[in-house]
Amino acid sequence: MSLTAGIVGLPNVGKSTLFNAITKKNILAANYPFATIDPNVGVVTVPDKRLEFLNNLYLPKSLVPTTYEFTDIAGLVKGASSGEGLGNKFLSHIREVDAIVEVVRCFDDKNIIHVENDVNPVRDIEIINAELALADLEVCEKRLNNIGKKAEMTKDKELLKEKEVLEKIREGLNQSLPIRRIGLSDDEKKLVKAFNFLTLKPIIYMANVSEESLLEDNNAYVDMVRGYASSEEASVITVCAKMESELAELSDEDKMEFLKDVGIEESGLDKLIYATYDLLGLATFFTAGSDECRAWTFKKGMKAPECAGLIHSDIERGFIRAEVMSYDDLERYGDEKAVKEAGRTRLEGKEYEMQDGDIVYFRFNV
């Protein structure tokens, strides 16, 4: 399942430095606007200690963690919705992601230019969010112009419902509300899904701070971001992009040792990965054996045949049942045989909703 989170922000907020650290890719990071001209895509491994346990138990030939994509998108400036800076090119890239990670500068450094000349995180957030809202409003108005009269004349129920939802969206956007805060029902969201509205996408704010501020956990700029994010029930992750970039060069063992020495439980990037994973409503099931132990990403609420289809479409089509045990039970009892003897292995049918941590063997015929 391919899912993406887009990293956005004004120029020179630390966005590309953060992306470098996340994906350990050496892309261009420079102290001037538009250093990142095209979106850079990096595949991110989701840290999961359960996979380590399975690896030690089964000693498989291959170990495959679950992954998803982070896309670094060129810096946005005021007026992008009307073509300023990289304008519509930026907006077309961001329409393709599933969630938005908005990097906000929360540090002072006179050596790093700020496109607005001073540090004000709430203003920066509002610049980006306003541009996204204006772009959504343009899409909304265009569609309403196309279907408005036709819906009234034909009395087509589907068109009338779509028109009603779009008018609701237009009213909210005109009041500076992102679509995610308008309160659309699931059915209303389905009606407008094809438009890929930017402000309907779930969002996380990532406050980029100095190393000193991160260790002290005391930053007035971050408090401003948290205050703003609380109005839309969004998460705020505090990170020092510079430190994360340095951590990315270390081995996992050295990284853990460094974090322990400075008194931090987990890196900002690990927090971000977990937070975006949760934000997108994702979970993990496993397939395990001597050939391969593998983690699979699925959307919470997906049923067993759909999850089987993530492995191969033939398995979904020929699905018979799923043999399931939970990771917790396997860890508790020590091996598959003991789990079965304890009566904790079960057979599930087509209506079974997969759970995070399920270890599955799918039975099917082609």
Side-chain angles (χ1 to χ4, degrees):
M1 173 174 283
S2 178
L3 289 154
T4 62
I7 303 178
V8 303
L10 291 174
N12 300 333
V13 296
K15 183 170 54 64
S16 293
T17 301
L18 185 66
F19 178 82
N20 288 347
I22 289 174
T23 60
K24 298 184 181 179
K25 281 181 70 175
N26 185 25
I27 62 166
L28 175 63
N31 181 25
Y32 55 89
F34 314 132
T36 310
I37 302 300
D38 294 310
N40 294 272
V41 178
V43 178
V44 179
T45 298
V46 179
D48 197 325
K49 291 181 179 178
R50 296 174 296 184
L51 200 58
E52 294 174 22
F53 175 85
L54 295 178
N55 187 46
N56 292 332
L57 180 64
Y58 288 94
L59 301 175
K61 295 172 186 172
S62 68
L63 185 71
V64 186
T66 187
T67 61
Y68 65 98
E69 293 178 351
F70 272 105
T71 304
D72 179 35
I73 301 170
L76 182 64
V77 294
K78 193 181 293 183
S81 59
S82 56
E84 291 295 323
L86 297 176
N88 294 329
K89 187 173 184 180
F90 167 91
L91 297 170
S92 67
H93 290 151
I94 197 175
R95 286 198 189 281
E96 298 167 9
V97 305
D98 300 294
I100 296 171
V101 177
E102 190 167 323
V103 182
V104 189
R105 180 167 165 174
C106 292
F107 64 89
D108 292 305
D109 188 333
K110 61 185 179 183
N111 295 315
I112 299 179
I113 302 163
H114 191 291
V115 72
E116 293 292 324
N117 298 319
D118 66 338
V119 178
N120 183 331
V122 170
R123 177 206 56 212
D124 294 354
I125 289 171
E126 288 179 340
I127 286 173
I128 288 183
N129 289 356
E131 294 303 324
L132 301 184
L134 286 168
D136 280 349
L137 188 58
E138 184 180 350
V139 171
C140 187
E141 294 279 14
K142 187 175 180 180
R143 180 60 177 170
L144 281 170
N145 288 338
N146 287 341
I147 68 166
K149 288 182 180 178
K150 184 179 178 181
E152 295 298 335
M153 287 175 64
T154 62
K155 302 300 179 186
D156 182 288
K157 289 183 179 179
E158 286 299 310
L159 278 182
L160 285 169
K161 183 60 181 173
E162 183 184 334
K163 178 174 176 285
E164 181 186 333
V165 177
L166 289 171
E167 286 173 342
K168 183 177 179 180
I169 287 171
R170 178 173 64 184
E171 183 182 353
L173 290 170
N174 280 326
Q175 294 173 11
S176 300
L177 283 176
I179 299 171
R180 60 182 166 269
R181 287 178 58 193
I182 292 173
L184 299 183
S185 68
D186 288 341
D187 287 340
E188 288 174 329
K189 288 176 183 176
K190 285 178 186 175
L191 269 177
V192 298
K193 184 179 179 182
F195 300 115
N196 260 337
F197 284 121
L198 303 172
T199 64
L200 185 54
K201 297 179 187 294
I203 192 166
I204 288 177
Y205 295 104
M206 181 148 244
N208 185 17
V209 303
S210 66
E211 189 172 338
E212 297 78 13
S213 180
L214 181 70
L215 298 178
E216 293 169 6
D217 195 23
N218 181 22
N219 185 304
Y221 293 139
V222 175
D223 292 340
M224 291 167 67
V225 176
R226 286 178 179 143
Y228 184 94
S230 66
S231 66
E232 53 182 327
E233 298 180 353
S235 298
V236 178
I237 306 273
T238 304
V239 64
C240 172
K242 185 180 177 184
M243 180 189 289
E244 298 296 334
S245 187
E246 293 167 357
L247 284 172
E249 302 301 320
L250 302 177
S251 68
D252 287 342
E253 287 183 7
D254 288 343
K255 174 182 165 184
M256 294 308 296
E257 189 65 33
F258 176 84
L259 291 174
K260 185 179 177 182
D261 287 345
V262 297
I264 298 174
E265 289 187 12
E266 59 184 347
S267 74
L269 295 185
D270 284 351
K271 288 179 186 176
L272 175 60
I273 290 169
Y274 293 134
T276 49
Y277 204 65
D278 184 60
L279 181 70
L280 293 171
L282 305 179
T284 303
F285 75 86
F286 301 94
T287 51
S290 57
D291 284 335
E292 178 185 83
C293 285
R294 182 164 184 160
W296 301 86
T297 300
F298 70 99
K299 279 267 191 184
K300 291 175 183 176
M302 284 176 68
K303 293 183 178 177
E306 292 177 276
C307 288
L310 297 176
I311 300 173
H312 199 286
S313 57
D314 285 348
I315 304 178
E316 181 175 8
R317 279 196 296 271
F319 179 89
I320 300 172
R321 62 181 65 88
E323 186 174 322
V324 184
M325 62 180 162
S326 75
Y327 170 83
D328 289 341
D329 282 339
L330 183 62
E331 186 180 39
R332 181 181 302 118
Y333 292 103
D335 59 41
E336 281 189 33
K337 183 181 177 184
V339 173
K340 287 179 181 178
E341 288 173 351
R344 300 294 295 173
T345 301
R346 58 193 191 279
L347 293 177
E348 301 287 0
K350 292 182 178 180
E351 293 305 308
Y352 175 68
E353 281 192 13
M354 291 288 268
Q355 301 298 308
D356 184 60
D358 278 349
I359 301 170
V360 192
Y361 173 74
F362 291 108
R363 298 185 182 178
F364 68 102
N365 76 46
V366 203

